[in-house]
Amino acid sequence: MDTATLLLLGAAGGAVRGIVHAYDCMTEWLARRREHRLSGHPVDAGPPAFGAFYDVAGECVAAAVHITLGAGVAVLLGASGQVSGGFATFAAGASAPLVLVQLKNSRLADVVLGDAGAAQAGQPVPPVQPVPPPQGEPQGRDPGPLPRPRPPAAERRSAE
C-alpha cells in the first residue's frame, strides 16, 4: 500500500473516534432534554444546552489531534509491514489515540521517559527497609502461622 493510502485510512480511523464521541455526547444531551421535557420543569428554566455536553472548540482540536495520530500510526505500522490491508490500517488509526493514552499511563512510559521514581534498567533496586512495630507490641515475637482461609460453602459441603 502506498503512503497516501495509509495516511488516508489512518486519518479516517482517527476521525471515527471523534465522530463516535460526538454521537455519544449528542445522545446524552437528547436524553437529558427528554428527561427535562417529561419531568415538568418550569418553562423559564429551559432545557439543557448542547454546549453543556459538548465543547465544540475543544473537541475540534481533539479531533484534529486524533486524525493526525491516526494517520501517523497507520503510516508507521503500514510502512514497517506490521499491518497490511485497508481494514487493519483503518483500525490502527482508530485505536491510535487510546493506545497512546494507555502507553502514557503505563509504567513503561515512566522508565522510558526517565521518571525519578521508576527503576531504570540495569540499576539495582534499593532494599526495602523493615517497618518498626508499633510502640505497644513486643519486638521479635513470631506471630506463628497464618490462619488458612475457609473454602466456600459449596466446597465444604462436598468435603463432608
Side-chain angles (χ1 to χ4, degrees):
M1 218 179 302
D2 63 336
T3 306
T5 306
L6 292 171
L7 278 170
L8 184 63
L9 288 171
V16 164
R17 192 257 176 237
I19 292 168
V20 168
H21 179 69
Y23 178 76
D24 184 45
C25 291
M26 185 184 67
T27 56
E28 181 69 25
W29 172 67
L30 289 172
R32 296 294 166 95
R33 283 181 55 91
R34 188 176 305 116
E35 178 183 304
H36 173 78
R37 189 178 66 237
L38 297 176
S39 66
H41 287 287
V43 177
D44 59 328
F50 183 67
F53 292 89
Y54 191 80
D55 179 20
V56 177
E59 295 300 332
C60 286
V61 170
V65 169
H66 292 152
I67 290 169
T68 304
L69 286 174
V73 166
V75 167
L76 288 174
L77 294 178
S80 65
Q82 295 181 19
V83 295
S84 61
F87 184 74
T89 306
F90 179 83
S95 63
L98 180 62
V99 169
L100 293 175
V101 166
Q102 291 296 325
L103 182 62
K104 175 191 150 288
N105 293 332
S106 71
R107 181 142 168 78
L108 176 64
D110 293 339
V111 172
V112 170
L113 297 176
D115 183 25
Q120 299 293 324
Q123 293 182 350
V125 177
V128 177
Q129 298 295 327
V131 178
Q135 291 291 339
E137 293 183 20
Q139 295 183 4
R141 195 177 112 201
D142 184 19
L146 296 175
R148 298 178 102 184
R150 291 183 58 178
E155 290 180 19
R156 285 192 303 237
R157 279 189 224 119
S158 65
E160 293 175 353

